Amino acid sequence: DAGVTQSPTHLIKTRGQQVTLRCSPKSGHDTVSWYQQALGQGPQFIFQYYEEEERQRGNFPDRFSGHQFPNYSSELNVNALLLGDSALYLCASSLDRQETQYFGPGTRLLVL
Amino acid sequence: AQSVTQLGSHVSVSEGALVLLRCNYSSSVPPYLFWYVQYPNQGLQLLLKYTTGATLVKGINGFEAEFKKSETSFHLTKPSAHMSDAAEYFCAVSDQGGGFKTIFGAGTRLFVKA
């Protein structure tokens, strides 16, 4: 049983560019959450998707957007990249209203 | 609003010694509490969780934590540290289960000396 997978593993972009990160949830999971983990900090909640809609959102600007597909996979899009967007982006999946989240290995984004 | 405070960004113990990582939380509703471990260049792995019921929670790799409502604490312990326990540990809180918004602490890096 494959766990949560994310792609790509690493990414380098320049300021002002746009990036798309991808996540495939654990088999059978229908809920996907995205987190940003800056170096030396704990993960910060970006948003959560369920039934192809954004259900909750953290304190992130509109430059951060997402999507969930009918197969429950998800994308995180970040527009107009800033240097401060450099971080490890983690995807977590779960069953709706279940307390246990399973995390992927993350995508490390470097903005130059 | 919910928040998590982890006391000590770095903790160093000798192999075989007691591990104690401190976590205090703030929540206006009954919390769900979690401890995660993160090894270098990896995602987060759930160590243990408290939802309801027994306040002493046992997790993987010999770790346990006790929910103390009066102290708003959820400290993580392990009787005897092993070199493989060296990692970053995160305490987290959510109000309706991990499937909803989860707030993480800043993390505590555990060093284990031979």
Side-chain angles (χ1 to χ4, degrees):
Chain A
D1 175 25
V4 179
T5 60
Q6 293 185 243
S7 63
T9 56
H10 295 81
L11 203 53
I12 300 175
K13 293 287 188 177
T14 57
R15 281 178 298 175
Q17 285 189 312
Q18 178 265 343
V19 68
T20 297
L21 311 181
R22 296 175 176 81
C23 171
S24 291
K26 184 177 171 63
S27 178
H29 284 184
D30 55 10
T31 303
V32 173
S33 301
W34 286 93
Y35 294 83
Q36 179 195 66
Q37 186 179 17
L39 197 62
Q41 297 183 24
Q44 301 288 318
F45 177 81
I46 303 176
F47 43 54
Q48 182 183 84
Y49 277 84
Y50 172 70
E51 290 190 340
E52 302 180 50
E53 292 197 0
E54 183 181 294
R55 178 156 65 178
Q56 276 210 41
R57 188 178 182 92
N59 189 27
F60 279 80
D62 292 344
R63 298 187 298 109
F64 289 77
S65 63
H67 187 78
Q68 185 178 34
F69 299 92
N71 67 353
Y72 306 122
S73 67
S74 176
E75 289 182 348
L76 165 64
N77 301 292
V78 186
N79 295 322
L81 284 167
L82 303 173
L83 296 181
D85 295 331
S86 295
L88 179 67
Y89 288 84
L90 295 166
C91 168
S93 75
S94 58
L95 284 169
D96 180 40
R97 300 185 184 277
Q98 296 297 308
E99 68 274 5
T100 301
Q101 294 183 98
Y102 293 82
F103 283 81
T107 294
R108 189 164 297 280
L109 172 65
L110 178 60
V111 182
L112 300 176
Chain B
Q2 295 178 308
S3 66
V4 174
T5 301
Q6 291 185 239
L7 301 176
S9 59
H10 297 82
V11 170
S12 182
V13 300
S14 298
E15 193 173 20
L18 171 70
V19 175
L20 171 60
L21 305 182
R22 299 178 186 274
C23 172
N24 288 92
Y25 70 91
S26 173
S27 178
S28 58
V29 297
Y32 289 5
L33 296 160
F34 309 83
W35 275 100
Y36 289 87
V37 61
Q38 186 176 36
Y39 296 99
N41 301 312
Q42 294 187 27
L44 276 69
Q45 180 183 9
L46 180 67
L47 278 177
L48 50 79
K49 63 185 178 185
Y50 168 80
T51 55
T52 59
T55 56
L56 182 62
V57 180
K58 296 185 183 299
I60 62 172
N61 301 337
F63 285 95
E64 63 181 38
E66 186 171 11
F67 169 60
K68 292 188 176 180
K69 183 178 179 180
S70 61
E71 298 177 9
T72 61
S73 69
F74 191 57
H75 301 330
L76 181 70
T77 60
K78 182 174 180 178
S80 177
H82 191 273
M83 296 297 288
S84 62
D85 294 327
E88 187 88 22
Y89 291 81
F90 294 96
C91 181
V93 62
S94 71
D95 57 3
Q96 296 185 56
F100 282 54
K101 181 176 179 178
T102 301
I103 306 300
F104 285 83
T108 297
R109 181 162 295 278
L110 176 66
F111 297 91
V112 182
K113 299 174 293 185

